[in-house]
Amino acid sequence: MILVTGGAGHLGNVLVRALLEKGEKVRVLVLPGEDVSSLEGLDYETAEGNILDPAALRKAMEGVDLVYHLASLVAITADKNDLVYKVNVEGTQNVIDACRAAGVRRLVYTSSIHSLGRLSGENMIDETVGFDTNNPSGAYDRTKAIASDLVQKAADESLETVIVLPTAVVGPFDFRRSELGEMVLKWMQKTPSLTTDGAYDFVDVRDVAGGHILAAEHGRSGEAYLISGTRATVSEYRGLVQKAAGVKSPEVRISGWFLKLIAPILEWFYKILRRRPRVTKYAIETLQSNSNISCKKAEEELGYKHRRLSDTVRSTVEWWRANQNRAKASLRENAL
């Protein structure tokens, strides 16, 4: 039996699909009252609980051999930092403790590229950079780094642990309408749409799910693996979306320095409206940061491969056209 925490999220539901296609028996830990429409029609078991509830975790892990821990929280505003720490750090420690108590063989933890230290310029980012537990970029980065340290240090004879570090996850099955998904929807329209300067590494959600499975099967205990895709500018990404959608509309480019300047005002505005911010200081800083990322270790040790970004975009556009009415935006988010 395999347990997946955060299985109703974007990456989570794609991972559950991939595991079921392999013939695995899957149990998904879901919050009480959580929207699980992303898993509709799939043959999985449900375990209701919260990673902050050790007793619920122990019950969910009964008879489980492998755990994929995806559940985490992204900080939308600074006032949520304490909750982000509890979920991402204390929740992960609870998962580690429950795995040991239940005799789980292996834990695969979903961390993030943002848990690593930031390198300036065009220096290659790989796993040797190390986790930055004092990252000044935000609570999410710091808590994912701290949790990754916990998971890495937990690797011993009684519990094997492997860490997966995805870059910017994109693609179909985005039932909770991520920020990147909303961006694609805007670019699919014939009306003018916004871009900014900067670039990042985008990876298909299906490749990330596959990378998790490869990490479970072939990853060395105590090791971390970057799962990346293709580096593209915002403008290049928009061009791929418009080509796949068969539309051509005016591109309105706003400079990153200006968006970064007004981002705090926009974040305050969206907070008042109780909506996810479309533009944040963190997002702009990410697009302006070094995105020269290597997945060589995952390729050599796990056999990881990723598809072309153009193929990902085409599949994403097709999925949105068929499922836009089924996807619902949510203020609470899973991290990947």
Side-chain angles (χ1 to χ4, degrees):
M1 176 66 73
I2 295 173
L3 176 69
V4 179
T5 74
H10 187 195
L11 173 57
N13 87 82
V14 176
L15 175 60
V16 170
R17 293 170 192 275
L19 291 170
L20 292 174
E21 287 175 4
K22 286 173 61 67
E24 304 285 2
K25 293 183 178 180
V26 180
R27 182 180 298 156
V28 179
L29 182 71
V30 300
L31 292 168
E34 183 174 6
D35 179 7
V36 293
S37 57
S38 61
L39 301 171
E40 185 178 346
L42 302 183
D43 185 17
Y44 69 97
E45 288 187 16
T46 297
E48 193 173 90
N50 189 315
I51 61 172
L52 298 179
D53 182 351
L57 277 175
R58 288 193 296 270
K59 184 176 180 181
M61 291 187 191
E62 291 177 358
V64 168
D65 176 65
L66 170 65
V67 172
Y68 290 96
H69 177 35
L70 281 65
S72 63
L73 194 65
V74 177
I76 297 174
T77 54
D79 61 324
K80 301 293 184 183
N81 286 357
D82 289 345
L83 179 60
V84 170
Y85 185 90
K86 285 185 67 68
V87 173
N88 294 353
V89 178
E90 295 177 14
T92 298
Q93 185 61 60
N94 289 341
V95 170
I96 292 170
D97 294 342
C99 283
R100 284 196 171 121
V104 170
R105 176 181 58 85
R106 172 161 283 209
L107 167 65
V108 179
Y109 173 59
T110 308
S111 185
S112 167
I113 177 65
H114 301 299
S115 67
L116 299 179
R118 299 288 177 94
L119 294 185
S120 60
E122 289 298 315
N123 294 312
M124 181 64 71
I125 298 173
D126 61 18
E127 295 84 354
T128 63
V129 173
F131 303 120
D132 184 1
T133 57
N134 296 308
N135 196 314
S137 297
Y140 176 71
D141 298 41
R142 290 191 296 274
T143 57
K144 294 300 280 188
I146 295 169
S148 297
D149 259 353
L150 292 174
V151 172
Q152 200 162 52
K153 291 174 181 176
D156 56 30
E157 292 181 1
S158 65
L159 178 63
E160 299 175 6
T161 69
V162 185
I163 300 170
V164 178
L165 306 163
T167 52
V169 180
V170 296
F173 303 102
D174 188 2
F175 289 94
R176 292 185 175 175
R177 299 176 74 117
S178 66
E179 284 89 345
L180 291 171
E182 293 278 10
M183 183 174 66
V184 169
L185 280 170
K186 290 291 184 183
W187 291 342
M188 288 170 59
Q189 299 172 14
K190 296 180 180 180
T191 54
S193 52
L194 302 177
T195 65
T196 187
D197 48 280
Y200 209 65
D201 186 284
F202 301 95
V203 61
D204 193 297
V205 65
R206 294 164 295 182
D207 294 334
V208 180
H212 276 70
I213 294 172
L214 289 171
E217 294 174 345
H218 307 295
R220 289 183 290 136
S221 182
E223 293 293 320
Y225 297 90
L226 273 165
I227 302 296
S228 59
T230 303
R231 185 180 185 275
T233 66
V234 179
S235 186
E236 288 170 341
Y237 200 114
R238 179 184 182 276
L240 291 174
V241 171
Q242 293 233 313
K243 182 178 180 180
V247 300
K248 191 172 183 179
S249 65
E251 177 181 357
V252 181
R253 181 177 293 188
I254 303 178
S255 65
W257 71 264
F258 177 73
L259 287 176
K260 189 175 177 180
L261 183 68
I262 66 171
I265 299 173
L266 294 175
E267 290 179 39
W268 175 84
F269 177 74
Y270 280 108
K271 181 181 179 181
I272 295 297
L273 295 179
R274 292 189 56 79
R275 294 172 60 187
R276 288 186 311 208
R278 297 289 179 83
V279 177
T280 64
K281 181 182 177 183
Y282 179 87
I284 300 303
E285 288 178 344
T286 298
L287 290 172
Q288 295 175 341
S289 67
N290 179 6
S291 53
N292 191 23
I293 301 165
S294 172
C295 60
K296 184 177 180 181
K297 181 179 178 180
E299 290 174 339
E300 293 180 347
E301 296 192 17
L302 307 182
Y304 169 72
K305 296 179 181 179
H306 64 81
R307 67 199 75 199
R308 297 183 303 175
L309 184 57
S310 58
D311 293 337
T312 297
V313 169
R314 185 168 56 253
S315 297
T316 305
V317 168
E318 292 173 354
W319 187 86
W320 275 118
R321 280 181 168 159
N323 296 278
Q324 184 173 348
N325 292 334
R326 296 178 61 197
K328 302 174 184 177
S330 173
L331 189 62
R332 178 193 181 278
E333 289 198 71
N334 286 334
L336 295 160

